[in-house]
Amino acid sequence: GVGGNAIQFALSARRVIAVDVDARRLDDAAHNATIYGVRDRMEFVCDDFVHFGRNYTGPPVDAVFLSPPWGGPGHLDCEHFSLKDVEVPDIVALFSAAVAMCPRVALYLPRHTDLNEIAMLAQAHGFPAVEVEKVFFQYPTPHLKLIVVYFTPEVMQGASRARTTTKTVGPTGAHVA
């Protein structure tokens, strides 16, 4: 994208590294970061994330947030979204590179993602559990918009208690549950 998620992280983080294969998008993201006053806390790297993650030698990373392309609106024509539905980039390879950098990975995915695949991905990378956050929008009608899956060691600490949190965001009433 053009830095929306990375900029939000930079509002509260000391340092954010934004990686994309598209130099124009990175230029737009850097411009947007300047507008939001966080450009000085962001580094923009034009690289394939799999290559970047596997070769990263910088300071320790607290968390990796992956927001891979979902293949355009055609993904909504299927009953379930599979991680294999998008050939480029390979979402499983992106995830593996992220785990090589850090034990805390968040994966931003379509609302109809096959959670059985997520469970297998977690198990294959040593995560005994994951947390799935469902993001609901209230406008124009209430609907599940997307999910964010958290792969972290801390998930097991809170696994015994189910929880629901509701947060209204913005004038349109977007909602995180």
Side-chain angles (χ1 to χ4, degrees):
V2 291
N5 290 317
I7 289 166
Q8 290 302 307
F9 291 125
L11 289 170
S12 62
R14 287 184 308 234
R15 182 169 180 253
V16 172
I17 304 170
V19 181
D20 200 308
V21 293
D22 187 327
R24 288 181 80 187
R25 285 185 178 187
L26 286 170
D27 288 343
D28 290 342
H31 171 77
N32 292 339
T34 300
I35 291 170
Y36 282 90
V38 295
R39 176 65 183 90
D40 62 324
R41 292 193 298 270
M42 296 183 71
E43 178 181 345
F44 297 90
V45 177
C46 188
D47 196 356
D48 171 86
F49 182 79
V50 173
H51 178 263
F52 176 82
R54 289 182 179 156
N55 295 290
Y56 180 77
T57 58
V61 173
D62 293 327
V64 175
F65 179 83
L66 295 173
S67 179
W70 301 339
H75 75 84
L76 293 170
D77 296 336
C78 300
E79 184 177 345
H80 295 286
F81 175 81
S82 170
L83 300 176
K84 298 172 196 144
D85 286 347
V86 179
E87 291 181 25
V88 177
D90 178 335
I91 296 173
V92 173
L94 289 173
F95 181 80
S96 296
V99 170
M101 291 179 68
C102 175
R104 291 174 192 84
V105 178
L107 194 51
Y108 188 90
L109 294 167
R111 62 183 172 251
H112 62 300
T113 298
D114 181 349
L115 294 180
N116 289 317
E117 274 190 348
I118 296 299
M120 289 187 292
L121 181 67
Q123 183 180 29
H125 289 84
F127 294 95
V130 299
E131 181 176 339
V132 178
E133 176 182 22
K134 296 177 179 181
V135 179
F136 291 86
F137 281 25
Q138 294 299 309
Y139 182 83
T141 59
H143 63 285
L144 176 60
K145 184 69 175 173
L146 57 99
I147 64 171
V148 182
V149 183
Y150 299 94
F151 300 81
T152 71
E154 294 83 6
V155 167
M156 286 305 293
Q157 294 170 0
S160 63
R161 58 183 159 88
R163 62 185 181 267
T164 299
T165 304
T166 301
K167 176 175 136 183
T168 301
V169 180
T172 60
H175 202 183
V176 178

